[in-house]
């Protein structure tokens, strides 16, 4: 059996642990198995950059962050556009697959990656994917690997901010990654006792945020902490068309939304505000034990799927079960935080403001 493997899109903490799960199971369960690792995601498949992996390559990587194969972003919308030398990328990927006589391709990636994986599957390649992202926004799985590790990192930042915020009696804004969704901010914010949590799915009203901060000050609280998603959006901006909003963001005189909110809070409340942006730290370091277990389980199940020759699916988690989910169901959809979800209601019951 010959299996190709690649990691694509933004990295996260548990990619190596997941590949190890797949590889260990295949080496254990299949007599003759060869694994080909493609360099830097789809790029390696397009341009034939790969290496034959040895079983020793997958040893000692359970706790290692990043990806031993490298990764890159190859936007789905550009897949059908020839490269600067006129190369047809989709054809090139199929040619590499055929030339290597692969039985299947294991693809670890997020939303964009899944669109291309689905395309390759529709083009006749045998594909099994695994849901990677700190954003936890992949449709068809309750959780993605990388999310819990990033949550630990982001919550750790907010934990640390508490002491300095308290010493100085300041308002602190911690901007959390998550792209267009608020999963990471929501979970890191609750885990670390943030007072205000702003998510892209719940547009905010700056006056409502300021009221929450003033109320805290009235209650004698010396400081306040806001966990703000990088995609947080005001009620006013949420009314704009996609194009208008993009334009507005392009011309925004602040590096990101957290700074804009910080400035408005200072102006409206007179409180001193500081902004912290942990950025890519949230994707770095070792996977947490939860992710190591999740990745091992997902990896082992992906290998089983390959052994059964049942392709065209992503291995996800639904109601605590590891299950295959058809790729066409996953590709092109975004899993958003539901504003009416129980977790939001519970957070509100505890007095957390969502700025709505
Ligand atoms: O999808 C993961 C993620 O870290 C997002 O949270 C963030 O918006 C984006 O990637 C950053 O992308 P890049 O690493 O390309 O700057």
């Amino acid at each position: 059996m010959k299996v190709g493997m690649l990691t694509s899109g933004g990295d996260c903490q548990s990619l190596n642990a997941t590949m190890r799960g797949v590889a260990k199971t295949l080496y254990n369960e299949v007599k003759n198995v060869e694994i080909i690792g493609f360099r830097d995601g789809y790029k390696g498949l397009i341009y034939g950059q790969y290496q034959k992996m040895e079983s020793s390559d997958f040893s000692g990587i359970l706790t290692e962050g990043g990806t031993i194969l490298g990764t890159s972003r190859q936007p789905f919308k550009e897949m059908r556009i020839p490269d600067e030398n006129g190369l047809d990328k989709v054809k090139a990927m199929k040619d590499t697959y055929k030339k290597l006589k692969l039985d299947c391709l294991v693809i670890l990636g997020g939303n964009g990656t899944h669109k291309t994986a689905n395309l390759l599957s529709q083009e006749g390649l045998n594909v099994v994917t695994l849901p990677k992202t700190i954003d936890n926004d992949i449709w068809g799985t309750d959780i993605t690997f990388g999310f819990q590790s990033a949550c630990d990192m982001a919550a750790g930042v907010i934990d640390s901010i508490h002491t300095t915020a308290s010493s100085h009696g300041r308002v602190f804004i911690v901007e959390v990654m998550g792209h267009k969704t608020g999963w990471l901010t929501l979970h890191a914010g609750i885990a670390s006792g943030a007072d205000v949590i702003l998510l892209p799915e719940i547009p905010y009203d700056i006056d409502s945020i300021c009221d929450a901060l003033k109320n805290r000050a009235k209650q004698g609280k010396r400081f306040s902490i806001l966990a703000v998603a990088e995609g947080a959006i005001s009620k006013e901006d949420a009314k704009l068309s996609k194009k208008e909003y993009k334009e507005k963001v392009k011309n925004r005189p602040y590096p990101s939304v957290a700074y804009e909110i910080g400035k408005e809070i200072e102006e409206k409340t007179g409180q001193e505000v500081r902004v912290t942006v942990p950025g890519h730290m949230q994707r770095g370091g070792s996977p947490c034990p939860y992710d190591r277990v999740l990745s091992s389980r997902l990896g082992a199940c992906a290998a089983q799927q390959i052994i059964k020759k049942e392709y065209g699916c992503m291995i996800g988690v639904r109601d605590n079960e590891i299950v295959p989910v058809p790729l066409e169901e996953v590709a092109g959809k975004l899993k958003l935080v539901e504003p009416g979800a129980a977790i939001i209601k519970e957070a509100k019951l505890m007095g957390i403001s969502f700025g709505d």
Side-chain angles (χ1 to χ4, degrees):
M1 178 186 285
K2 206 169 178 189
V3 176
M5 200 178 270
L6 64 86
T7 55
S8 164
D11 73 342
C12 71
Q13 290 91 339
S14 215
L15 282 161
N16 288 329
T18 310
M19 287 192 276
R20 172 183 175 272
V22 178
K24 270 190 171 278
T25 310
L26 287 177
Y27 288 131
N28 221 17
E29 295 289 314
V30 183
K31 261 211 180 99
N32 283 313
V33 62
E34 191 180 331
I35 299 179
I36 302 293
F38 291 97
R39 295 296 312 165
D40 298 340
Y42 289 121
K43 213 185 208 179
L45 190 59
I46 296 169
Y47 298 105
Q49 295 153 357
Y50 54 83
Q51 68 200 73
K52 181 182 174 311
M53 308 295 284
E54 304 297 337
S55 87
S56 57
D57 291 324
F58 296 98
S59 289
I61 61 168
L62 175 63
T63 61
E64 217 178 275
T67 159
I68 55 169
L69 294 179
T71 186
S72 66
R73 292 195 187 276
Q74 303 293 319
F76 172 71
K77 58 176 188 281
E78 287 168 25
M79 278 300 176
R80 289 287 189 193
I81 302 170
D83 77 356
E84 59 278 15
N85 299 314
L87 182 80
D88 178 335
K89 294 172 209 156
V90 177
K91 182 176 178 301
M93 289 193 279
K94 286 163 69 178
D95 287 349
T96 307
Y97 180 97
K98 280 180 196 147
K99 193 183 106 197
L100 286 167
K101 296 192 169 62
L102 295 179
D103 291 297
C104 90
L105 204 50
V106 178
I107 299 174
L108 290 76
N111 274 312
T113 300
H114 273 85
K115 289 187 206 164
T116 300
N118 186 42
L119 169 71
L120 292 177
S121 173
Q122 286 168 345
E123 289 281 328
L125 307 194
N126 298 327
V127 176
V128 172
T129 69
L130 288 145
K132 161 246 68 158
T133 172
I134 65 164
D135 303 338
N136 193 33
D137 60 355
I138 300 181
W139 183 270
T141 184
D142 297 341
I143 191 155
T144 59
F145 61 85
F147 173 66
Q148 280 300 338
S149 304
C151 216
D152 285 2
M153 296 293 283
V157 171
I158 304 175
D159 286 348
S160 302
I161 289 295
H162 269 83
T163 52
T164 178
S166 166
S167 305
H168 287 264
R170 284 171 172 160
V171 171
F172 261 87
I173 300 181
V174 179
E175 187 176 282
V176 180
M177 275 187 168
H179 201 219
K180 292 179 180 160
T181 65
W183 296 101
L184 193 52
T185 310
L186 176 63
H187 284 250
I190 292 176
S192 59
D195 308 299
V196 178
I197 297 178
L198 304 183
L199 314 177
E201 294 90 339
I202 305 179
Y204 65 82
D205 169 17
I206 193 69
D207 290 325
S208 157
I209 298 171
C210 293
D211 285 348
L213 299 177
K214 284 183 203 156
N215 274 339
R216 273 183 59 80
K218 259 193 227 149
Q219 288 165 31
K221 314 268 186 191
R222 272 178 62 74
F223 69 94
S224 293
I225 298 182
L226 292 84
V228 173
E230 62 178 349
I233 185 166
S234 69
K235 284 191 178 185
E236 198 190 341
D237 287 350
K239 286 184 199 140
L240 300 176
S241 70
K242 249 188 184 176
K243 201 175 157 210
E244 286 168 333
Y245 180 61
K246 255 191 172 174
E247 198 55 29
K248 190 168 177 191
V249 167
K250 219 171 88 191
N251 298 318
R252 186 160 59 191
Y254 304 102
S256 64
V257 66
Y259 290 90
E260 184 174 4
I261 293 171
K263 188 84 191 125
E264 287 179 305
I265 292 174
E266 274 189 342
E267 281 169 7
K268 285 181 182 272
T269 68
Q271 298 187 42
E272 197 182 11
V273 180
R274 292 288 185 273
V275 175
T276 298
V277 183
H280 288 77
M281 263 178 67
Q282 293 162 96
R283 267 170 36 190
S286 291
C288 65
Y290 180 96
D291 267 337
R292 295 178 204 174
V293 175
L294 175 64
S295 285
S296 302
R297 294 188 64 195
L298 290 172
C301 285
Q304 274 184 311
Q305 200 74 9
I306 295 165
I307 292 164
K308 286 189 283 180
K309 298 190 194 325
E310 289 175 8
Y311 309 113
C313 60
M314 173 187 82
I315 307 300
V317 182
R318 277 179 163 174
D319 300 327
N320 282 326
E321 297 266 336
I322 311 276
V323 290
V325 186
L327 271 179
E328 63 266 20
E329 222 181 274
V330 174
K333 289 188 210 142
L334 203 58
K335 185 182 71 183
L336 297 168
V337 174
E338 193 48 62
I343 188 170
I344 305 275
K345 285 186 191 146
E346 288 142 10
K348 284 185 174 173
L349 282 173
M350 290 174 63
I352 298 175
S353 164
F354 285 83
D356 51 344

